[in-house]
Amino acid sequence: MTQITIIGAGLAGLTLARTLAVHGIPSTVYEAEASAQARGQGGMLDIHDYNGQHGIRATGLMDGFRSLVLEGRQASRDVAPDGTVLEDRPDNPDGGRPEVQRGELRQLLLDSLPGGSVIWGHKTRSVRTLADGRHEVTFANGRTVATDILVGADGAWSRVRPLLSGATPAYAGRSMVETYLYESGTRHPATLALVGGGSMTAYDETTRIGLGVQRERADTLHSYAMFDQPLDWFDGIDFHDGPAAARTVAAMFEGWAPELVALVADSDIAPIFRPLYGLPIGHRWEHVPGVTLIGDAAHLAPPDGEGANWALFDAGRLGTVIAEQPKDIDAAIRAYEAALFPRNFDTATAAAAYYPDFTPC
């Protein structure tokens, strides 16, 4: 039986493993994290009916997916720095972009897999091609695995990608500082009221700073302070000192409405620095038998609300074409890549339009 190895237990890797399992095709997923609970999994995702939901549908988990949807979260509003609501878009239950929490979606996928499908605590150190055309993965713990089919679902800094491409992510010209307010309904009611029922965005064109906020379960407000600045602009912020970092970042919002400043100043976690990166627009590679990429490993782009959706789509599509040609998986991979590359160009071009300082190498 053909051995299929997937590197990375994010949404893409797990969706691929589940899609294959639906068709009776076993695979093994190797993940660097020690367990499914090793770290938080990010915030809300709007899963689109034209890409992400296709991936979910391939897994046969649409009913489970629907059970995770947070009603009302498709509402959004734009707010001025002084707190004035500029545009308020109400929730549209038929909007085709239902919101779920990333961690809950990941757990749905994990729970759907056969026992032992995910091997935790295996961080990929290197990958090489063997003389027989298979590929060998070496993990940081010293273990090695040789495989017939290798799929890199290992994100922005993929260790599998160098087998196919010399491309590396470039800084997108924007960094974010992630914060949380928990129980905002009682602890920060004015801020919750300003955010509204779903997501909120505020931006100052003069200072080039902004806030993006998502309302999660239990009135949790998950925020990203946005700064369109070069990387060295952040050198003076000590993100190892959470309270000091919160004060420094909050001070950058001087003159903003206190309800907005509270999203940073009163964060219930130490602020997390998240610079944004993207691969070259139209990233592609010459086909190498037995290996391919999905998700950010294949087409990392600065965030525009589509990254997770296209990762789900990739995984569902690759799993489906493999199931259609189980005796010639390499032909299936070729077909997947032939459709992937033009899509990569279109989606990366669209994402880059939001980042005027992004100069992909």
Side-chain angles (χ1 to χ4, degrees), residues 249-304:
V249 175
M252 298 175 187
F253 290 88
E254 182 179 0
W256 284 52
E259 296 89 347
L260 296 174
V261 178
L263 292 162
V264 177
D266 297 335
S267 176
D268 289 312
I269 68 164
I272 302 171
F273 180 53
R274 299 205 181 280
L276 306 181
Y277 292 84
L279 285 167
I281 293 173
H283 177 237
R284 61 186 299 146
W285 54 87
E286 293 297 323
H287 177 73
V288 174
V291 59
T292 196
L293 306 172
I294 58 177
D296 282 350
H299 48 68
L300 175 71
D304 67 341

Side-chain angles (χ1 to χ4, degrees), residues 5-27:
T5 297
I6 303 166
I7 304 299
L11 296 182
L14 296 176
T15 297
L16 174 57
R18 166 64 185 182
T19 303
L20 292 171
V22 166
H23 295 281
I25 301 172
S27 64

